[in-house]
């Protein structure tokens, strides 16, 4: 917790059946990751089934999750993101 702002991790970018190109697009456009960061996050998810994508305030985290989920659905792919409180 930072002051009165609860920080949240967007955890478990678990993509069941989603092409790598779409994953990179979401990570670069919604979460502003570089292509190299996006590819490293995808490898982490592949190996451990989850990754912390970023730490945001609650409203920003929810907004990013909604935008990423909407982008995947519009392309016809399932996507699961979770927002979890940051451990202190």
């Amino acid at each position: 917790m930072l002051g009165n702002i609860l920080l949240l991790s967007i955890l478990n970018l678990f993509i069941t059946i989603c092409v790598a190109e779409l994953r990179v697009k979401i990570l670069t456009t919604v979460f502003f990751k570089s292509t190299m960061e996006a590819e490293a996050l995808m490898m982490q998810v592949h190996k451990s089934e989850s990754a912390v994508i970023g730490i945001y305030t609650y409203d920003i985290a929810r907004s990013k999750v909604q935008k990423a989920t909407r982008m995947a659905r519009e392309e016809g792919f399932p996507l699961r993101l979770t927002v979890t409180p940051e451990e202190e």
Side-chain angles (χ1 to χ4, degrees):
M1 192 169 286
L2 180 65
N4 289 334
I5 300 174
L6 174 64
L7 296 179
L8 301 166
S9 297
I10 295 186
L11 188 61
N12 293 333
L13 176 62
F14 182 72
I15 303 170
T16 55
I17 309 169
C18 194
V19 294
E21 185 176 298
L22 179 61
R23 287 182 266 181
V24 170
K25 180 180 176 180
I26 289 170
L27 289 167
T28 57
T29 61
V30 177
F31 299 97
F32 303 107
K33 302 296 180 188
S34 69
T35 302
M36 284 182 62
E37 288 174 303
E39 290 171 355
L41 285 165
M42 287 190 310
M43 288 305 298
Q44 183 178 348
V45 170
H46 179 71
K47 291 178 181 176
S48 64
E49 296 185 3
S50 69
V52 174
I53 305 306
I55 299 173
Y56 307 95
T57 61
Y58 180 78
D59 290 338
I60 292 171
R62 294 292 300 154
S63 176
K64 288 183 176 291
V65 165
Q66 289 170 350
K67 183 174 183 178
T69 302
R70 185 172 47 251
M71 285 176 67
R73 297 295 185 269
E74 287 171 357
E75 296 289 330
F77 293 101
L79 174 71
R80 185 179 74 198
L81 294 147
T82 58
V83 176
T84 339
E86 179 67 53
E87 294 181 18
E88 294 183 31

